[in-house]
Amino acid sequence: MPTVAHVLVIEDDPAIRSSLVRSLTDRGHAVSSAPAGMAGLQQALDEQPDVVLLDLGLPDLDGHSILTMLRAVRRTPVIVVTARDDDPSVVRALDAGADDYVVKPFGMEQLEARIRAVLRRVQPDGTTEPLVVGDLVVDPVTREAVLSGRPVDLSRREFDLLHLLARRAGEVVTKREILAEVWNQPYGGGERTVDVHLSWLRRKLGETAAEPVYLHSVRGVGVRLAPPQRTGEDADPAPPSDG
């Protein structure tokens, strides 16, 4: 995580925008801002900030639309900053690719902590070497996955999920842990989302829950990423008998 982050604030309220720019600058960040969605999207593409603070109630396009367009071309961490505290809006934003959200009004200490958290999750353990599990290679730097020499086309969430499981290869990772690290929902309640993304990930890895190869479900607990078990001619020969 950089000592000084470049934060892009996309917020139409002049008072809130000015306050965020001033407060974040005082905390040592480099800050730019935009008063509308399309202008903010263009700045995100041109400036490539470390994190985007995105208001949902923008004058030209809804923030959800801006988030969807940004996610199509960039993996920049996005924290939704909104007055909408209803579950559907929050769930929609998270499913569209938001990394976190804060509800107005909020304290700057809370926002600063959330910025630090999403930047840590970009590279959670500082590991830059590709992770290898069997014929599966997961590269945290390029955010690419390769299976048996062929690239695997993954969405941002699918890659984050696979990266988490690859970092803990051989371990059973609970759905609560997955929700906390990938969706930033530490209190559960979104296990169906995890199940859906695991299903999509399995399909892209060429397997199913009924016939797992890399992703092994542990009923009532979570999922474990492990290399395929070798069988038949691929297996190691049995040791010679003493008799």
Side-chain angles (χ1 to χ4, degrees), residues 229-238:
Q229 293 294 316
R230 292 180 295 172
T231 58
E233 295 181 357
D234 292 332
D236 292 331

Side-chain angles (χ1 to χ4, degrees), residues 42-179:
Q42 188 61 55
Q43 284 183 236
L45 299 179
D46 293 341
E47 300 174 4
Q48 300 187 35
D50 297 308
V51 61
V52 174
L53 304 183
L54 175 65
D55 182 28
L56 292 181
L58 297 168
D60 51 351
L61 281 177
D62 185 81
H64 291 107
S65 299
I66 297 299
L67 178 57
T68 299
M69 288 188 283
L70 178 60
R71 277 289 168 263
V73 292
R74 286 283 187 274
R75 295 188 174 95
T76 308
V78 175
I79 300 175
V80 166
V81 180
T82 179
R84 306 175 190 176
D85 60 355
D86 57 298
D87 284 346
S89 290
V90 170
V91 170
R92 184 182 170 196
L94 292 171
D95 284 344
D99 295 88
D100 200 354
Y101 70 94
V102 291
V103 177
K104 302 172 184 175
F106 53 85
M108 281 305 302
E109 291 301 324
Q110 176 192 165
L111 180 60
E112 177 76 10
R114 289 175 182 268
I115 290 173
R116 291 195 301 268
V118 298
L119 290 176
R120 280 198 304 270
R121 288 201 297 274
V122 173
Q123 197 55 258
D125 56 5
T127 301
T128 58
E129 293 297 320
L131 303 170
V132 181
V133 183
D135 292 326
L136 177 65
V137 180
V138 181
D139 192 327
V141 175
T142 63
R143 293 183 62 84
E144 295 175 332
V146 176
L147 178 60
S148 299
R150 296 188 299 274
V152 183
D153 183 20
L154 300 176
S155 69
R156 175 186 175 85
R157 292 290 191 195
E158 290 164 353
F159 181 87
D160 290 343
L161 174 57
L162 182 61
H163 184 214
L164 168 62
L165 297 174
R167 285 193 290 117
R168 297 179 55 180
E171 301 178 31
V172 177
V173 184
T174 68
K175 291 182 180 178
R176 175 168 290 186
E177 290 175 308
I178 292 172
L179 282 167

